[in-house]
Amino acid sequence: MDRYPHKIIIQNSVGDSDNPYSDSTFETVFEGRCRCFLDKRSSGTDGEITENSYQVVIPSPNMVDIGENFKVGVKLQHNSGKKWDLVGFVKDFARYDRVCNLYFQVTKDNQISEDIPDE
C-alpha cells in the first residue's frame, strides 16, 4: 500500500488583489503526492451544501511555503479520470521535519473547480 496515494496541485493567484474569488489568473506553485483525509465536516441540513475541512500530508522536502487562500486540488487514488476530486482554499499550513500538513476547505460545488486545470 502506498503511503501517499493521492495527487495534489496548489495554485496561487497572479493578480494583486487579496481576494482569491475575484482573481482570474492562477499559477501552479506545487504538484506532487500526498495523503488526504477528512478532518472536520461542518453541520448542515438536507439539501444544503456544507463546508468540509480536509487535512493533507505532503512528504515532499521541496514543498514551498504557502499561505491562506491558495487553491488546492486533490485527486484521490481511485480516480482514473481527468477531473480533481476535491478543490478548495488553503486555511492553514504547517511544516514539520520532513512533512507538511495542510488544511483546506471545500466550499460550494464547482465554485472554483473550473480554475484548476484538468490533468
Side-chain angles (χ1 to χ4, degrees):
M1 184 169 113
D2 191 358
R3 263 183 97 169
Y4 301 100
H6 309 133
K7 295 180 183 176
I8 187 169
I9 184 172
I10 302 175
Q11 294 183 328
N12 187 20
S13 63
V14 177
D16 51 1
S17 170
D18 287 338
N19 184 0
Y21 296 99
S22 68
D23 293 329
S24 60
T25 309
F26 292 86
E27 65 178 355
T28 299
V29 295
F30 180 78
E31 283 187 69
R33 306 297 296 175
C34 70
R35 183 175 68 227
C36 179
F37 51 91
L38 183 63
D39 181 60
K40 176 184 165 188
R41 179 173 299 206
S42 299
S43 61
T45 59
D46 289 339
E48 179 183 295
I49 298 171
T50 60
E51 295 184 348
N52 299 316
S53 176
Y54 289 84
Q55 182 180 13
V56 180
V57 179
I58 303 170
S60 173
N62 301 324
M63 175 64 185
V64 297
D65 285 332
I66 60 174
E68 193 170 344
N69 293 330
F70 278 59
K71 288 189 179 185
V72 180
V74 174
K75 181 183 260 192
L76 303 177
Q77 65 183 358
H78 59 4
N79 182 349
S80 59
K82 294 186 175 187
K83 298 287 184 187
W84 298 88
D85 291 307
L86 304 170
V87 178
F89 285 111
V90 172
K91 290 300 169 194
D92 194 16
F93 171 78
R95 184 183 303 277
Y96 297 101
D97 189 18
R98 287 175 294 183
V99 298
C100 301
N101 278 359
L102 167 72
Y103 287 90
F104 76 99
Q105 191 172 44
V106 174
T107 55
K108 296 184 179 173
D109 250 356
N110 297 327
Q111 186 171 8
I112 59 172
S113 60
E114 61 272 4
D115 298 322
I116 300 285
D118 291 347
E119 187 180 44

